Amino acid sequence: MAEKNALLTLPTGETITLPIYQGSTGPDVIDVSGLLKAGYFTYDPGFMSTAATESKITYIDGDQGILLHRGYSIEDLAEKSDYLETCYLLWYGQLPSKSEKEIFVQAITRHTMLHESLAHFFDGFHHNAHPMAMMCGAVGALSAFYHDVMDMRSEREREIAAHRLIAKLPTLAAMCFKHSIGQPFMYPRNDLSYSANFLYMMFGTPCEEYVVSPAVERAMDRIFLLHADHEQNASTSTVRLAGSTGANPFACVSAGIAALWGPAHGGANEAVLIMLEEIGSIENIPEFIEKAKDPNDPFKLMGFGHRVYKNFDPRAKVMKKSCDEVLAELNVTDPRLRIAMELERIALSDAYFIERRLFPNVDFYSGIILSAIRIPTSMFTVIFAVSRTVGWISHWQEMVSSPYKIGRPRQLYTGETERPYPD
Ligand code: SDX
């Protein structure tokens, strides 16, 4: 792939030639794997300027605020596609024909049920366990039901594992919610769409018929679509690293869920709502803006900033438009939305945020929509995990379907050098 080279001159005067590789778009990369022979490691805490892999799935241009899934913009997909079609695109690399989509939707639909024994798994969780804690455990436990039938060298077995994960995560997520409120689990229904089925399993009860509102179904599907994948983010990189050891895909997705949970990552959507409630009124915003700017105060404006986007997160723009539509369609007024919009206005005109190119990210508005469709705050990151499972498993597939090496970073060691044990 190398057409250009970088030359590195070492303190010894030795010059090392490092190949430069060019992608189809985005920054070129310098292959530094040759440094080891010269006795050097690269040093890049947080991987700020490190490309850990080659990928064809998702492209992000942080300066331009561009997000493409297999070349299709997130704006086009949000307007013209749906979540399961986007899942097909991420996994297979192309949009499906009408018949391919029907077959895929049927395959997912017929994998939504769980082994009955898994329901008893929840008996071990305290009723007020955080749903993300339950998800980490329950998804990892899926390995126990499929481990002996998974030959991950088989393309077909990997495809079935992906179908099972995409299909079963909503069922498990709804079970986490039902367990937390002491209601009976609802079995999936094959006559409902993916998003309608999830809402049915969340809010339906055996006591009466539950009809999913089309407006809420559309909002849920758009939320799933907007969170489906995002290049090599922390949780996706976790799934790739776990997968590089040969761990099964269910265990890898469970590791991804654990990484997503942090408030700096997928936990931010829950943290945004908690922050807006803590702010409480528009009059209190300036005080919180000052806290966010204070280097000695650990408080950060949740839903603001991004490692890659130094412009608006395109998903936040789509989310904000959806927010307005959903609240209008459901005739819901949410005072937290007014606080969020005023917070955005003030922050975007403040030098601190402008200098650091801190803009609202995907999590800033998603919580408002999720609240409007009655998803409890503690379930926000679970929804993110349900949606991102297709991204995680698509990156896992991209890695394991070609030759790969176990991921094993090195370090700059600054600890004690060897010393004798005291007599
Ligand atoms: C997601 O990677 C992905 O793609 C993730 C994601 C996905 O789809 O997978 O997009 C989903 O995780 C979105 C991000 C959700 N997180 C939050 O909203 C939490 C709040 N944001 C921050 O924690 C932060 O912005 C990060 C973690 C998102 C990004 O952190 P970086 O890239 O390490 O940036 P940084 O911490 O080095 O910040 C640079 C400066 C610092 O100030 P200085 O030291 O230069 O003075 O900006 C400041 C930071 O203190 N800063 C903030 C801030 N975010 C950064 N100051 C106040 N409020 C904030 N939110």
Side-chain angles (χ1 to χ4, degrees):
M1 279 194 291
E3 291 162 7
K4 296 180 281 186
N5 295 303
L7 298 180
L8 179 65
T9 304
L10 299 175
T12 57
E14 181 194 357
T15 302
I16 298 183
T17 302
L18 300 173
I20 293 177
Y21 306 135
Q22 191 172 22
S24 42
T25 183
D28 294 351
V29 298
I30 299 175
D31 179 346
V32 295
S33 51
L35 281 180
L36 186 58
K37 284 198 290 290
Y40 286 88
F41 296 147
T42 58
Y43 187 63
D44 184 21
F47 311 117
M48 303 281 283
S49 58
T50 293
T53 185
E54 176 186 343
S55 181
K56 302 180 190 315
I57 298 173
T58 289
Y59 174 70
I60 302 171
D61 181 324
D63 290 328
Q64 302 300 317
I66 291 171
L67 168 56
L68 307 178
H69 290 320
R70 301 287 191 181
Y72 296 98
S73 75
I74 194 66
E75 293 88 348
D76 273 358
L77 291 169
E79 189 186 329
K80 300 166 186 166
S81 185
D82 61 37
Y83 178 65
L84 279 190
E85 183 177 79
T86 302
C87 288
Y88 184 100
L89 174 65
L90 289 168
W91 177 267
Y92 295 103
Q94 301 297 335
L95 287 171
S97 64
K98 189 170 180 300
S99 61
E100 286 167 334
K101 184 173 178 185
E102 283 165 6
I103 293 166
F104 180 71
V105 170
Q106 271 309 306
I108 299 300
T109 301
R110 300 212 172 284
H111 276 299
T112 49
M113 274 218 301
L114 289 161
H115 192 292
E116 200 64 8
S117 303
L118 220 146
H120 303 303
F121 194 87
F122 286 83
D123 296 341
F125 287 121
H126 201 266
H127 71 87
N128 64 359
H130 193 290
M132 279 297 279
M134 293 192 255
M135 283 293 279
C136 287
V139 173
L142 283 176
S143 317
F145 294 90
Y146 302 110
H147 189 75
D148 56 344
V149 295
M150 280 187 310
D151 170 7
M152 289 303 110
R153 291 164 302 179
S154 148
E155 184 73 32
R156 177 61 181 145
E157 290 281 356
R158 293 201 295 267
E159 182 184 38
I160 294 171
H163 290 175
R164 282 176 165 148
L165 279 160
I166 295 167
K168 296 181 192 306
L169 264 280
T171 311
L172 279 172
M175 290 169 83
C176 293
F177 174 59
K178 287 300 197 187
H179 178 75
S180 68
I181 58 174
Q183 283 191 1
F185 299 142
M186 297 297 285
Y187 286 100
R189 276 180 43 187
N190 292 351
D191 62 322
L192 297 177
S193 73
Y194 185 90
S195 297
N197 186 38
F198 172 65
L199 292 164
Y200 167 76
M201 293 188 289
M202 280 282 292
F203 299 120
T205 69
C207 318
E208 59 189 21
E209 193 189 357
Y210 176 81
V211 179
V212 179
S213 137
V216 174
E217 179 183 358
R218 273 196 310 278
M220 191 72 256
D221 198 78
R222 170 121 1 131
I223 291 259
F224 281 145
L225 189 153
L226 290 172
H227 289 81
D229 187 51
H230 212 240
E231 200 213 67
Q232 306 306 324
N233 59 85
S235 52
T236 300
S237 299
T238 300
V239 171
R240 278 180 173 261
L241 198 56
S244 75
T245 71
N248 74 73
F250 302 95
C252 293
V253 167
S254 178
I257 292 173
L260 185 75
W261 194 358
H265 189 15
N269 52 18
E270 178 178 1
V272 166
L273 259 288
I274 293 169
M275 175 187 73
L276 293 174
E277 283 158 5
E278 193 184 349
I279 292 174
S281 73
I282 285 179
E283 294 69 32
N284 294 338
I285 289 175
E287 172 201 340
F288 282 83
I289 293 272
E290 288 314 306
K291 276 172 64 66
K293 291 159 57 175
D294 178 354
N296 301 313
D297 189 324
F299 174 78
K300 289 197 186 296
L301 220 46
M302 290 289 108
F304 260 78
H306 197 278
R307 170 60 58 79
V308 176
Y309 289 123
K310 301 308 173 190
N311 194 326
F312 255 89
D313 179 335
R315 300 167 298 175
K317 284 184 179 175
V318 177
M319 200 72 82
K320 180 154 181 296
K321 184 166 168 284
S322 292
C323 206
D324 296 336
E325 290 165 4
V326 170
L327 294 188
E329 277 192 82
L330 300 179
N331 194 24
V332 167
T333 52
D334 186 333
R336 293 170 301 188
L337 177 60
R338 285 187 58 246
I339 295 174
M341 291 171 71
E342 183 62 8
L343 184 61
E344 178 188 2
R345 186 190 68 76
I346 295 174
L348 293 182
S349 57
D350 184 295
Y352 173 94
F353 294 89
I354 294 169
E355 284 158 13
R356 292 167 180 77
R357 302 173 74 189
L358 302 175
F359 291 87
N361 59 47
V362 67
D363 295 302
F364 191 64
Y365 284 105
S366 55
I368 307 261
I369 300 180
L370 290 169
S371 290
I373 60 179
R374 297 178 45 241
I375 302 278
T377 307
S378 64
M379 283 290 291
F380 286 5
T381 311
V382 172
I383 303 284
F384 196 150
V386 169
S387 163
R388 185 54 59 86
T389 291
V390 64
W392 290 331
I393 201 68
S394 298
H395 281 273
W396 171 80
Q397 158 73 356
E398 183 175 65
M399 179 180 71
V400 301
S401 53
S402 310
Y404 64 94
K405 297 177 79 62
I406 188 171
R408 206 278 187 216
R410 302 303 303 274
Q411 63 181 10
L412 170 67
Y413 178 70
T414 55
E416 294 287 346
T417 53
E418 186 169 11
R419 51 181 170 166
Y421 191 88
D423 297 332

